[in-house]
Amino acid sequence: MQSRAHEFKQRSATALLDPELKRAMGKAKGGFQQKRRNAVDALPEFEALRQAAREIKEHTLHNLDFYLERYERAVQSAGGQVHWASTTQEAREIILEICRNAGAKRVTKGKSMVGEEMGINEALEQAGFEPVETDLGEYIIQLAKEPPSHIIAPAVHKTKDQITDLFHAHHQKYGLTDRVTEVPAIVNEARTVLREKFLSAEVGITGANFLIAETGSSIIVTNEGNGDLTNTLPRVHIVTAGIEKVVPTLEDVSTILRLLARSATGQEMSVYTTLSTGPKRKEDLDGPGEYHVVLLDNGRSQMLGNEFHEMLRCIRCGACMNHCPVYQSVGGHAYGWVYPGPMGSVLTPLMVGLDKSFDLPNACTLNGRCKEVCPMSIPLPDMLRKLRQRGHEQRLTPFRARAALGLWAYFAKRPRLYQLATRLGMAVLGSLGKRRGRFRRLPFAGGWTDARDLPAPQGVTFQTAFRKRGSQK
Amino acid sequence: MSAARERVLANIRTALNRTGPLADSVTAVLDARLENPRANVKPAVDGEVVQQFLSKLESVHGAVVRVATMEKVSEAVDAHLQQNALSPELVVAPDPLLEDIPWSNRFAIERRAAKGDDRVSVTAAFAGIAETGTLVLLSGAESPTTLNFLPEDHIVVLKVERIVTHMEDAWARLRKERAKMPRTVNLITGPSKTADVEQTIQEGAHGPRRLRVILVG
Amino acid sequence: MPSSNENGALTRPHVGLFVTCLVDLFRPNVGFAAVKLLEDAGCTLSVPEMQTCCGQPAYNSGDATNARDIARQVIAAFEEFDYVVGPSGSCMGMIRAHYPEMFPTDALWRGRAARLAEKSYELLSFLRDVLGVECVHARYEETVTYHDSCSGLREMGIKAQPRALLGQVNGLTLNEMNESEVCCGFGGTFCVKYPKISERMVADKVQSITESDATTLLGGDLGCLLNMAGRLKREKSRVKVYHAAEVLAGLTDLPPIGDPK
Ligand code: SF4
């Protein structure tokens, strides 16, 4: 997918003016947070699981080559094929090749963020295939020709009325001419339209929440059942996964599964957790005849060796964005690429380049809520700060901000000069602001006073007043 | 071996400060970890496991009916059909457990994989997990996976002795009873649902609208 | 060797007051409130002259070099004291959580930073957790609501301490607002770099404050309080804003933050 992360400022400004977005985000936020809270409170072992999950992932990452090779071997012995791709370009070519060999026309898709990374839908369309997103949220945004705005609730930015309009515009060709305005009817209509697609697709592409080295299984976790129809009905099943998705054993994945749904939606388990291992067996009555896994690196092995390696623990639960006040304000599209919110603000610079996304790690108050809720204990704020450091070193910070910071630091490192300057400055500001107690406008403080008044200083600095008191005592 | 494969593995090894694969002595330890999987943290499951299984399943809107013997399954299925005004056409998984049931001759029964317009399927569960009210279904000649997803009503027969406490217990049984992983293992926790329209939960997204468990024993 | 009380705290500890740059410049009253509270609790107090700021603006902007220089200055100015205390969870969180990680390759300064970090505390949590202060002598007859500033809450575990102390103030009623733990949109330089996003966040916060029906907003970090007070004023709200220390010390003769004399 083409990155528009460099347009964050404009895109977030537009988003803030969108009343529909505000309504949609407002509705979603409280639910996600409360449900997670309830689920975590109901599980006394949550913290212990979190610790265990972190250890499992760290262990796996430290031996990643080994586990990937064991995984590959297990897939092969179950009759499946593993394809490796360093770049999204390589991954797209592999997938197109498999689709061509399958003589495919229609390709159903389960939700896959790695698929978004690859821009697989555009590639399939350009090559003459018909990709059909089957997760309801993904389907909605596919109709709207938009990227997802959330990693587990891709259409969270859409209101029901907007979905009604979309369905009305796109479903008439199937003879469905009534406007569906209520949730059950909307869901039903999608079920009807997509059922047909499921049954006629030649290839099904899903993502993977986990890959298991022990068994060679790929796991998807869904609520709708679309992923299962995608990986069972077509002749060919393709799994796309990042190389960090591997975990050693079924026991290990059990531990992490206990965190995933609780953190994402507040469920104890999602409705469908499905393990796929190779193609259908000789004796099976259904299932795909071919099973392919496309393992994508795309910058991940780089992260493994640097200060961002903890990001590879991410299980894509979305809790960080559900609790991020910036994400809640601007929505996912403002971030301009596949991954929004705090995890996206770390991943996007690492995957598409810091110079093309420098706003993302900066547009954060470092309030720490994401880190607090992250089931994998990823220190997201620290990583954002590290990205700012990289940006500072690479001189990506805008000139004015650098100059202002430099000037401030010059004084801050010279306490006596600083105290002299601030004593004078505060005396002036204090007397100017005395009458109203605040400023509505102030030169050089537009960023502040556009949004709020600036309370006036008392007029004397503490250092001055305290010394005076001391000498009077 | 593809060039990309070698590139990715080499990059990983460089990142991990290594020049080649792990030493044999290290892989031996890791292989042992794979061969003797250990459970990590297992949440306490309060109370009796069958009770726990039932209450968890009901909390996710799975409907449960408990019958004493396999002979009673047919009746329970019939009750479900009547309750939901469904016609007595069933697609039953060709599982020996289900073949032995004395089915009421009111039913028209087919034994096969599912088709797009099947209304009701009956399958057998490999296990039930009390911790979360989850059903474990395995694919195979006797249990086509499509039966778990295409029909609107999915009826699952579960024998009470197949209920285990934790997910890890189900894996242990799977390793013991099956020589290798089936193509598909479905962990099912309630009927299909979606919250993609304004986070309103709606059941019956793409999979079954109703999940009915008949617990036997 | 100074003696200790049952909390393990020194009985008459020598405390270096880290004033914080915003208190120094905008609201000295908070500094005097800190002085009063600490002296009342039996501390000997010093205010080193060689202090300006904790360096957070540089650190959070990615300017590690300047941040380190400033950190060294703070360490040198404060390491002689038994404790370092400041009326801000954010600045003290900077010293406590971040100073030690700023010197990964310099064992000497890493050690000095770690030793300083260990004895650095935010004011209200210091009073409560270290000194074991049970009661304060103050009166404030208003319904207040308390905003949990992010760094204090998440880096320093400040949540119960200010509420316990405020519970001792005569006449004061606490009405919790919804989402008291959600960021107010200040975020240091964030609020001027991304003013529109910050505006939405502080507007949401002001809505929570208003809905709490409190007549006064309290908090433990002046940055957040200036932000929220400024927005309350912009929206013509009559809610008064004080730093919690001012109320606890009974120093509320001064007009609230952002109000005229
Ligand atoms: S960073 Fe943490 S909270 Fe965010 S999606 Fe990843 S695992 Fe979930």
Side-chain angles (χ1 to χ4, degrees), chain A residues 88-105:
Chain A
T88 55
Q89 170 73 22
E90 287 173 10
R92 285 191 295 270
E93 280 163 12
I94 293 165
I95 291 170
L96 292 179
E97 180 72 19
I98 298 171
C99 291
R100 278 189 213 107
N101 290 344
K105 288 196 188 66

Side-chain angles (χ1 to χ4, degrees), chain A residues 452-471:
Chain A
R452 49 189 103 59
D453 294 354
L454 179 68
Q458 269 178 252
V460 58
T461 67
F462 178 79
Q463 287 281 10
T464 316
F466 185 78
R467 307 288 157 221
K468 210 188 221 163
R469 184 190 89 148
S471 60

Side-chain angles (χ1 to χ4, degrees), chain A residues 8-9 12-13 15-18 22 29 33 325-326 328-330 358-360 362-369 372 382 385 388-390 392-393 397 401 405-406 408-416 418-419 422-423 426 429 433-441 445-467 469 473, chain C residues 17 19 21 23-32 35 39 45-53 55-66 69-70 73 98 101 150-151 153-155 179 181-183 185-202 204 207 223 225-231 233-234 236 246 254 257-261:
Chain A
F8 177 82
K9 276 218 167 90
S12 59
L16 285 164
L17 295 174
D18 180 348
K22 184 167 188 218
K29 173 179 81 169
Q33 294 181 2
V326 173
Q328 296 299 335
S329 299
V330 302
F358 192 52
D359 272 315
L360 302 192
N362 282 286
C364 166
T365 62
L366 303 180
N367 63 76
R369 223 163 159 227
E372 182 178 71
D382 298 334
R385 201 186 283 109
R388 294 179 190 183
Q389 248 167 50
R390 273 196 183 182
H392 187 83
E393 284 155 17
T397 326
L405 188 68
W408 167 85
Y410 180 86
F411 281 96
K413 295 198 294 195
R414 292 167 178 77
R416 295 201 192 283
Y418 174 93
Q419 275 153 25
T422 53
R423 191 165 74 221
M426 291 306 120
L429 270 186
K434 197 177 243 153
R435 202 174 57 80
R436 305 192 48 153
R438 59 185 187 272
F439 302 98
R440 287 190 61 83
R441 287 270 168 274
W448 181 282
T449 53
D450 282 351
R452 49 189 103 59
D453 294 354
L454 179 68
Q458 269 178 252
V460 58
T461 67
F462 178 79
Q463 287 281 10
T464 316
F466 185 78
R467 307 288 157 221
R469 184 190 89 148
K473 251 189 182 174
Chain C
L17 180 67
V19 183
C21 57
V23 166
D24 181 39
L25 303 185
F26 277 84
R27 195 81 181 165
N29 199 45
V30 176
F32 286 110
V35 170
E39 288 183 343
L45 209 80
S46 293
V47 182
E49 267 186 279
M50 296 304 284
Q51 57 174 315
T52 57
C53 167
Q56 198 171 164
Y59 190 56
N60 285 351
S61 300
D63 182 353
T65 314
N66 274 320
D69 289 347
I70 297 172
Q73 180 175 296
H98 299 296
E101 69 195 23
C150 302
S151 316
L153 177 70
R154 299 193 181 89
E155 286 181 345
E179 306 203 313
E181 297 186 358
V182 173
C183 178
F186 172 61
T189 54
F190 169 86
C191 69
V192 290
K193 282 191 195 153
Y194 300 93
K196 297 217 163 69
I197 303 173
S198 175
E199 177 172 10
R200 167 66 61 80
M201 289 163 69
V202 72
D204 286 350
Q207 193 181 339
L225 292 169
L226 290 171
N227 178 43
M228 293 181 288
R231 183 68 195 187
K233 293 297 158 214
R234 180 62 55 93
K236 307 210 169 10
E246 295 176 281
L254 193 75
I257 299 170
D259 277 345
K261 294 240 161 65

Side-chain angles (χ1 to χ4, degrees), chain A residues 72 90 137 191 258 281 286, chain B residues 5 7 131 146 181 207:
Chain A
E72 178 185 44
E90 287 173 10
R191 181 183 172 109
R258 290 188 176 107
R281 308 292 145 77
D286 53 21
Chain B
R5 178 184 192 277
R7 210 160 43 239
E131 178 189 358
T146 44
M181 280 295 275

Side-chain angles (χ1 to χ4, degrees), chain B:
Chain B
M1 290 296 143
S2 80
R5 178 184 192 277
E6 296 319 308
R7 210 160 43 239
V8 173
L9 286 172
N11 283 343
I12 291 171
R13 287 174 184 140
T14 310
L16 295 171
N17 277 325
R18 282 199 264 115
T19 47
L22 288 166
D24 289 350
S25 57
V26 181
T27 59
V29 176
L30 297 178
D31 275 323
R33 189 186 188 284
L34 284 176
E35 277 151 29
N36 309 293
R38 278 184 296 110
N40 305 291
V41 179
K42 293 196 281 186
V45 169
D46 305 329
E48 198 264 324
V49 286
V50 176
Q51 227 28 63
Q52 169 81 6
F53 174 80
L54 294 175
S55 74
K56 284 292 179 186
L57 182 58
E58 278 168 358
S59 73
V60 294
H61 297 180
V64 194
V65 55
R66 191 167 180 177
V67 299
T69 61
M70 289 303 287
E71 281 69 45
K72 301 277 186 204
V73 168
S74 174
E75 243 171 66
V77 170
D78 204 15
H80 178 86
L81 299 186
Q82 309 235 358
Q83 195 182 323
N84 296 292
L86 298 167
S87 69
E89 290 155 34
L90 305 176
V91 188
V92 178
D95 187 308
L97 182 78
L98 304 176
E99 309 233 328
D100 293 347
I101 294 172
W103 291 105
S104 150
N105 48 23
R106 207 174 83 77
F107 299 137
I109 293 182
E110 295 187 43
R111 291 189 163 80
R112 54 171 170 77
K115 294 185 197 145
D117 47 6
D118 289 335
R119 289 301 312 275
V120 185
S121 65
V122 183
T123 70
F126 172 77
I129 301 171
E131 178 189 358
T132 47
T134 299
L135 296 162
V136 185
L137 284 80
L138 308 182
S139 67
E142 299 157 356
S143 53
T145 301
T146 44
L147 290 179
N148 307 341
F149 293 97
L150 282 171
E152 307 227 323
D153 286 65
H154 183 203
I155 301 176
V156 182
V157 177
L158 173 68
K159 295 188 93 173
V160 73
E161 61 269 24
R162 305 299 303 179
I163 296 180
V164 297
T165 312
H166 292 106
M167 200 185 292
E168 287 85 344
D169 305 322
W171 304 139
R173 280 206 181 185
L174 180 58
R175 290 193 190 99
K176 198 162 124 223
E177 296 175 21
R178 301 284 167 127
K180 54 180 190 172
M181 280 295 275
R183 146 71 193 171
T184 305
V185 178
N186 291 124
L187 306 184
I188 299 180
T189 314
S192 155
K193 65 180 182 185
T194 182
D196 275 342
V197 183
E198 290 190 351
Q199 306 309 303
T200 310
I201 291 174
Q202 176 63 39
E203 290 184 352
H206 293 298
R209 293 176 195 279
R210 280 173 293 267
L211 175 70
R212 164 75 68 174
V213 175
I214 301 176
L215 184 63
V216 183

